Structure formats: C-alpha cells, structure tokens
Amino acid sequence: MPPSEDQQTDELKKAYDAVCKKVLAEKGIIANILKSCVKEFEDSSIDEIVHHCIQGTPEVGTVLVEPDAGITRIQNVQTEDKSSTEGTVFYDIRFTALAPADGQPIELIINIEAQNDFNPGYPLLKRAIYYCSRLISSQYGTVFTKSHYEKIQKVYSIWICTAPTKAWSYTITRYSMKEENLIGQAEAPNSDYDLLTPILVCLGKKHYTELTGLLKMLNLVLLDNISSDSKVKTLSEEFKVTTTPHLEKGVAKMCNLSEGIEKRGISIGKAEGISIGKAEGISIGETRGETRGIVRSIKALMRKSGLTIDAAMDILDVPEADRPRYAEIIEKGIH
C-alpha cells in the first residue's frame, strides 16, 4: 500500500530537519552562533573559533548513550542521553569547545537545537534548562568521578526558534545563574556557579535583507526562499563561512526539500482546509460561533500541513480585513 499524502509530507519534513541540522553543524555557522551568543567567544574571530576552539567534528543525533547502563561515553560525540528514570533525550547538535579565560583554555559543552514549534505544550525555556541539567549530570563518569565536582564543565543549550510568537520575534535572550547576597558580602568565584546557560534565538517573518548579524545569517539559512547558490555566496562573503562541497550539497538539498514541502502542503491544505471548514460548520459571517470554528480550522491546517498562519488563511479564504483579529487570537492562545 503506497504511503498517504500525510505520510509523504511527514517524510519530507523529517528529511528536511535532518539536512537542516547537518547544515547548522557546519563549523563556520557554529562559529557565528558562538561569537554572537556565548560570552566566552565575544572577542574571538570566526577563524579562531573554527580552527582552534571547536573540538573534533560536531555530532548530529547519531550516538546512543546509556549513562545508567554503565556504557563508556565519549565527550565530543555524545548526542543522546538515555536514563531509565528520565526517558530519552536527543541532542540535535552537540560538541565541546575551548575558550580563553584568564589566559587559560576552558572547556565548554555546547548543545544547539533547531525548534519549529514555539509552543509544544510547555515553556520551551524550561526544556532548555532541562537540557542544560542533563549536559551537566551526564559529565559524571567522563569529565569527573567520585567527588571531583571541581571538574564540572560549563554547558550551554542554544535553541534556534524559527516560528516564535510576535513578542519573541527577532530576539536573542540569554539566561544564567547569579550570586545574590542576602546577609553579608560573601563572594564565590564566578566559575563555581556560572555553569549552565540556556539561550533562545528567535527568528520571524522578515526577509534576511532586513536584518543584521546572527539573525540575518540564520534567517537566510533556515527561512528565506532564495536559491541555494545565493545562500552559500552570502554565507561566504558576509559571515566568513567556508564554502565546502558538504555545505553546498546540504543547502541545495534544504532548498529542494523546502520547495517540495511547500507544494505538497498547499495541495493537501486545499483539500483539508475545505474538509476542516465543513466539519467545523464554518460559514464566514453567518454564525455566532464562527470565530472559534475559523480559529480551530486555521490552527488545525497549520498543524497538519505545516503551513504558516497566512498560508492557512489563504486556503480558507479568510477575508483580509479579518485576518489580524484571527492572528491575534491565535498568538494569544500560544502564550
């Protein structure tokens, strides 16, 4: 039995996500992320980060790790932590990096996640904090053993969100632990408590030419509908990302898969939109409960077909004058 339209679309999306993670794992792209987001790299050049800081080859969701089973773990390639009590956690991209601190190198364990769903049913920030916690706890048995907690390495979990709410669009937010004296003036070394940092990097609906810095680069790579040649050229000229056959192939595949997903989503969406609309009893402008039905239809179409809110409203023929109201209702529901 041939796969259904939904199954084919899901396979396209899985393939796109896999290629997306590999492109983001390019050292030149990682270097730009580190320089803009991680304070230890603020004064380092892209070239220095690429050639002297990033350790080994960043792994992309390929290594199975079972801490509770006593399996030996390799620090640079651990992309998944599996615990009998905590379930399974997959890391999109994981690697270690050396950064200068007081003239001495320090080792950081860094995790980068690409996230399409800004409202997966829980605060995304809490998941980022959980990932940081797992990155620390999984150091036992590799970075340190017994009571040598002084060897714990600082961790970062950087989340790149492609479809945040309007309030979060085009923001980069970093969270960290801080010392607070309640009584007296005791002072611990910053390195003893500044050990985990979640970061949210949020994009939006703008074209990359309207942006600057890291947001421009990520928007270009992940969201903009332009040729793969143009993307690679801009990455090389503006962001000092070395052009490699692997990068060219990855970006080209991303563009092809994105186009396929869009075409298939629109095709499915037209049929589903009509079906959903009928099921919800939608008749624009007729019933008192129309708003709830239309909102539910828009959200269902976005969820099932992977369309943007604007594309979903296009398919449902929502009048232009009514669109801001529905968009606002859906965004408020996201919070």
Side-chain angles (χ1 to χ4, degrees), residues 94-114:
R94 178 174 171 149
F95 59 96
T96 58
L98 297 177
D102 299 326
Q104 298 294 322
I106 60 171
E107 191 164 22
L108 308 173
I109 299 175
I110 299 168
N111 159 235
I112 298 176
E113 300 288 324

Side-chain angles (χ1 to χ4, degrees), residues 221-236:
V221 173
L222 300 174
L223 297 178
D224 282 285
N225 185 21
I226 61 173
S227 71
S228 59
D229 288 343
S230 295
K231 289 191 177 188
V232 172
K233 182 179 179 181
T234 303
L235 284 172
S236 175

Side-chain angles (χ1 to χ4, degrees), residues 319-330:
E320 288 290 339
D322 295 334
R323 294 187 179 200
R325 178 164 59 93
Y326 293 125
E328 183 180 4
I329 291 172
I330 290 172

